[in-house]
């Protein structure tokens, strides 16, 4: 089934560890996005990509990095996790000419750094 | 700079009562506005977009450029409408900016 998948759903990890949050979509969408959301706060765009080998930083400064080597895969990496990185991370995708259809969101990864 | 404001974090209404979730925006260009909804234990999903001028699940929203508003309305709330609602603005850069959301609770 065409969809967007995020793993893991929940992650508790110690300070200083390197982590990668996975996001994959099977819809053939060119555009993909990462949002960060703290409880009760807005969703903030931290990274986006308009296609393979294209990545840009979003409006909220983030210490994370992303890569887009394949159309369907848009992983987010934190080289050294800190408690300040504790948040929910949402991945989304959209297609060209999507002005009428909005974004498709994944289920999110809730990250806790202890 | 663009901004989306949802002044109510929480809103409770009785079943069958009208409901209005407020959204105001600031953006110097031509805005595109959306409403997204997140039901309990489900993903964030698109509810409606202003350019289609449609009604989804009984909800409507009209873009008022004079008041820079895009309020979401439904004449008769149902229990299944209880959810988190986010207003979102798309800019010329084609990225979505979200408000802080309003949690709607429909009381039986």
């Amino acid at each position: 089934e065409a969809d967007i998948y995020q793993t893991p759903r929940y992650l508790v990890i110690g300070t200083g560890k390197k982590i990668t949050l996975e996001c994959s979509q099977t819809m053939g969408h060119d555009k993909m996005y990462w949002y960060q959301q703290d409880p009760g706060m807005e969703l903030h765009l931290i990274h986006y990509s308009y296609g393979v080998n294209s990545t840009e930083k979003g409006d909220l400064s983030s210490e994370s990095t992303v890569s887009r080597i394949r159309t369907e895969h848009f992983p987010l990496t934190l080289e050294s996790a800190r408690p300040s990185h504790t948040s929910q991370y949402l991945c989304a995708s959209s297609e060209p000419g999507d002005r009428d259809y909005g974004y498709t969101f994944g289920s999110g990864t809730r990250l806790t750094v202890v | 700079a663009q901004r989306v404001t949802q002044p109510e974090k929480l809103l409770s209404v009785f079943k069958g009562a009208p409901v209005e979730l407020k959204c105001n925006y600031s953006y110097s260009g031509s805005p595109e506005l959306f409403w997204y909804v997140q039901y309990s234990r489900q993903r964030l999903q698109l509810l409606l977009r202003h350019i289609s001028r449609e009604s989804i699940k009984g909800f409507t929203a009209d873009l008022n450029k004079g008041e820079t508003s895009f309020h979401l309305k439904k004449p008769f709330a149902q229990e299944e409408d209880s959810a988190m609602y986010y207003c979102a603005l798309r800019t010329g850069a084609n990225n979505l900016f979200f408000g802080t959301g309003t949690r709607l609770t429909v009381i039986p």
Side-chain angles (χ1 to χ4, degrees):
Chain A
E1 180 181 340
D3 206 346
I4 183 165
Y5 303 93
Q6 285 188 249
T7 56
R9 287 293 306 274
Y10 303 93
L11 179 62
V12 180
I13 200 161
T15 298
K17 300 291 186 183
K18 177 180 179 178
I19 58 170
T20 297
L21 308 185
E22 300 289 346
C23 176
S24 294
Q25 50 95 5
T26 56
M27 296 171 285
H29 287 174
D30 285 331
K31 300 176 184 177
M32 297 188 74
Y33 313 84
W34 276 103
Y35 283 85
Q36 182 177 342
Q37 183 182 30
D38 294 327
M41 305 296 286
E42 305 99 317
L43 282 77
H44 287 288
L45 181 67
I46 53 174
H47 298 284
Y48 61 97
S49 167
Y50 285 172
V52 172
N53 295 325
S54 155
T55 61
E56 300 287 344
K57 288 189 178 296
D59 309 292
L60 181 68
S61 176
S62 174
E63 294 169 346
S64 59
T65 59
V66 291
S67 63
R68 190 86 184 276
I69 298 172
R70 303 196 316 266
T71 298
E72 61 272 21
H73 195 212
F74 192 41
L76 181 146
T77 298
L78 278 165
E79 290 293 333
S80 180
R82 294 207 302 268
S84 60
H85 297 140
T86 294
S87 189
Q88 171 156 266
Y89 294 84
L90 290 172
C91 183
S93 71
S94 65
E95 58 184 73
D98 66 343
R99 305 194 85 77
D100 289 344
Y101 298 102
Y103 292 6
T104 301
F105 280 87
S107 300
T109 294
R110 189 168 296 279
L111 173 66
T112 303
V113 183
V114 298
Chain B
Q2 58 282 325
R3 186 170 181 84
V4 177
T5 302
Q6 293 180 252
E8 304 142 327
K9 281 192 177 291
L10 303 170
L11 181 64
S12 295
V13 300
F14 285 100
K15 178 181 174 181
V19 61
E20 180 179 66
L21 292 89
K22 291 185 168 49
C23 173
N24 289 91
Y25 67 91
S26 64
Y27 178 54
S28 57
S30 182
E32 290 187 56
L33 277 299
F34 301 79
W35 277 99
Y36 280 77
V37 62
Q38 188 169 26
Y39 300 103
S40 179
R41 289 185 292 276
Q42 294 188 30
R43 303 183 198 182
L44 194 60
Q45 58 187 282
L46 178 65
L47 179 63
L48 55 78
R49 56 265 190 191
H50 90 268
I51 57 174
S52 61
R53 304 181 67 81
E54 61 196 342
S55 173
I56 302 292
K57 299 184 179 183
F59 284 97
T60 59
D62 291 319
L63 178 61
N64 186 324
K65 292 187 177 181
E67 296 182 358
T68 60
S69 67
F70 188 57
H71 303 326
L72 184 67
K73 300 177 184 179
K74 185 170 182 176
F76 307 104
Q78 303 300 313
E79 289 180 65
E80 56 266 29
D81 297 328
S82 294
M84 194 76 179
Y85 291 82
Y86 293 92
C87 183
L89 163 72
R90 178 153 59 189
T91 67
N94 208 33
N95 294 329
L96 274 182
F97 293 89
F98 286 84
T100 51
T102 298
R103 182 171 298 281
L104 173 66
T105 301
V106 180
I107 304 165

